[in-house]
Amino acid sequence: MQTILVTGGAGYIGSHTCVELLEKNYEVIVIDNLINSSKESLNRVKKITGKSITFYEKDILDKDALDKIFNDHKIDAVIHFAGLKAVGESTQIPLTYYHNNLTGTLILLQAMQQASVFNLVFSSSATVYGEVNQAPYTEDMPLSATNPYGLTKVMIEQFLQDTYESHNYWNISILRYFNPVGAHKSGLIGEDPNGIPNNLMPYVSQVAVGKLKQLKVFGGDYPTIDGTGVRDYIHVTDLALGHIKALEKIASQTQTSIEAYNLGTGNGSSVLEVVNAFKEASSKDIPYDIVDRRPGDLAIAYANAGKAKAQLGWEANQTLKDMCQDTWNWQTNNPNGYR
Ligand code: NAD
Ligand code: UDP
């Protein structure tokens, strides 16, 4: 069976992907410095699957640590989640973001090259479609960024393109996630944000459980169905399964390639639609107030998910209701996250 190195595997999407990898009998090795996660997530992954993970509490900026991992294990492919991801914070500490995300990825690519491991699945984001394109987004649209976090994704995609063009023994899948939400059905793993959440779903969930008083809906005058912003929410387990499909394609194809895929449902939901779906799933009231738009927010963002379906045989199956139910199950079972 194949051995997969998962960078950032203790995090939200990484831990859900580890579950799906183990369920499919991949050997899993995780490197994570736990800057935005807890080792407990990996204990829970073991509990869900009954299988073990080799864990290195190390930084991807540490080339010696990476070299040792590549020396000590025969790694078939890398899934690269490790990175800092808060848009607002990236405008406060851009150099930290550039160093961690860009330098970290360069060091990882160098270690892979040295170890002759050329199969890579990379976590990109719908943020690379920037402000100029109109939804639904297709993978061939021009990329741009409006903040340092987004720029790290645009730049890493370019690094990967250049790397592939220089040595086409690389085999690279770039996955552009839309809005990952929800939690594993078991309620044992989920999103565990530090402090007050920036993102809609964890915020709504904390209002429902009574930790936060009310939701601020950022903008009620967008040209959308009810005036609130529209996004393509995708269940984190569907997203995790997209990584398995990407690995399978890399392993099965006779010619190497670099391809980008949107991982979204192809449908948009407004903020108020999410609030209503969550109300139903939790049977709790979710008080909200419509306030000014959040600077930098788009009115509408959703995927054309056709390429992933055609080339990876992947599509999202879970509904907004599933996403809200599973978030609520995780929230009520773990009111303080992993702490
Ligand atoms: P997360 O913060 O939960 O996971 C990232 C993990 O990487 C964390 O466990 C963190 O401790 C680790 N990490 C960060 N820097 C590291 C370093 N230098 N060395 C080792 N480990 C390091 O975030 P997530 O939501 O699971 O996101 C995973 C990836 O997906 C990120 O690259 C993120 O940018 C991307 N992404 C996330 C979203 C989203 O909304 N969650 C959307 C699009 C793309
Ligand atoms: N949003 C909101 N209140 C919040 C957080 C988010 O109204 O407290 C809105 C936001 O304006 C956007 C949608 O919810 O329209 C999704 O925002 P999120 O931050 O979750 O994702 P992203 O901005 O990355 O799409």
Side-chain angles (χ1 to χ4, degrees):
M1 206 4 116
Q2 287 194 40
T3 301
I4 312 297
L5 175 64
V6 182
T7 77
Y12 171 47
I13 304 169
S15 57
H16 287 80
T17 303
C18 287
V19 168
E20 300 309 321
L21 287 166
L22 292 168
E23 305 277 23
K24 302 241 162 13
N25 294 319
Y26 287 92
E27 290 279 329
V28 177
I29 297 168
V30 166
I31 175 170
D32 198 306
N33 63 2
L34 304 180
I35 191 161
N36 195 38
S37 54
S38 139
K39 219 164 41 182
E40 178 58 17
S41 66
L42 296 177
N43 294 334
R44 305 280 183 95
V45 168
K46 288 178 201 165
K47 203 165 164 189
I48 293 168
T49 60
K51 293 183 178 161
S52 63
I53 286 179
T54 306
F55 174 55
Y56 294 94
E57 186 178 337
K58 293 284 179 192
D59 198 304
I60 57 164
L61 289 160
D62 180 349
K63 174 80 168 23
D64 291 341
L66 280 175
D67 287 343
K68 183 158 174 23
I69 294 172
F70 282 107
N71 267 321
D72 290 354
H73 303 271
K74 196 199 146 297
I75 289 166
D76 296 288
V78 175
I79 306 182
H80 178 32
F81 293 107
L84 298 173
K85 65 162 181 178
V87 171
E89 186 183 62
S90 81
T91 64
Q92 310 293 316
I93 48 168
L95 297 183
T96 304
Y97 270 65
Y98 291 133
H99 184 56
N100 193 72
N101 294 6
L102 299 181
T103 313
T105 300
L106 291 176
I107 290 172
L108 174 69
L109 293 173
Q110 284 164 354
M112 288 176 69
Q113 169 120 32
Q114 217 168 298
S116 297
V117 176
F118 298 115
N119 297 331
L120 176 68
V121 178
F122 172 64
S123 302
S124 188
S125 163
T127 192
V128 299
Y129 292 113
E131 284 181 321
V132 287
N133 298 301
Q134 293 286 316
Y137 300 130
T138 51
E139 288 83 350
D140 53 3
M141 285 176 167
L143 308 188
S144 61
T146 54
N147 56 69
Y149 165 72
L151 189 54
T152 68
K153 295 299 182 193
V154 172
M155 290 178 75
I156 293 169
E157 287 207 20
Q158 186 66 49
F159 293 172
L160 297 178
Q161 194 69 45
D162 295 345
T163 303
Y164 176 77
E165 277 163 24
S166 69
H167 296 291
N168 66 4
Y169 36 69
W170 284 87
N171 216 345
I172 301 174
S173 193
I174 294 170
L175 303 180
R176 295 181 183 151
Y177 311 155
F178 280 70
N179 289 57
V181 297
H184 190 261
K185 285 269 177 287
S186 62
L188 285 170
I189 56 172
E191 189 170 10
D192 183 18
N194 273 327
I196 296 175
N198 296 311
N199 296 112
L200 180 65
M201 188 67 89
Y203 201 105
V204 166
S205 173
Q206 293 198 10
V207 172
V209 84
K211 281 177 82 173
L212 295 169
K213 275 236 293 281
Q214 71 170 6
L215 171 71
K216 289 192 185 80
V217 175
F218 298 138
D221 58 353
Y222 285 112
T224 61
I225 175 174
D226 54 21
T228 66
V230 165
R231 296 289 182 276
D232 187 340
Y233 298 93
I234 173 163
H235 196 292
V236 63
T237 297
D238 276 334
L239 194 71
L241 291 168
H243 295 72
I244 310 279
K245 293 290 189 185
L247 284 177
E248 286 172 355
K249 172 154 186 287
I250 285 175
S252 68
Q253 65 193 7
T254 45
Q255 273 211 317
T256 66
S257 65
I258 178 165
E259 291 289 347
Y261 298 102
N262 288 339
L263 295 188
T265 64
N267 297 309
S269 304
S270 74
V271 174
L272 294 182
E273 285 172 330
V274 171
V275 168
N276 286 329
F278 208 94
K279 252 188 190 169
E280 220 166 286
S282 63
S283 305
K284 295 281 176 193
D285 195 27
I286 306 189
Y288 66 83
D289 194 17
I290 297 187
V291 302
D292 286 348
R293 293 178 178 190
R294 183 171 65 179
D297 272 0
L298 299 170
I300 303 177
Y302 61 96
N304 175 323
K307 184 177 175 189
K309 186 173 181 187
Q311 295 190 16
L312 299 178
W314 173 90
E315 66 184 318
N317 289 314
Q318 304 209 47
T319 62
L320 186 59
K321 190 176 167 192
D322 299 321
M323 302 176 210
C324 293
Q325 278 173 344
D326 293 340
T327 303
W328 184 236
N329 187 33
W330 155 252
Q331 177 74 64
T332 48
N333 283 312
N334 308 270
N336 298 313
Y338 292 116
R339 282 165 289 271

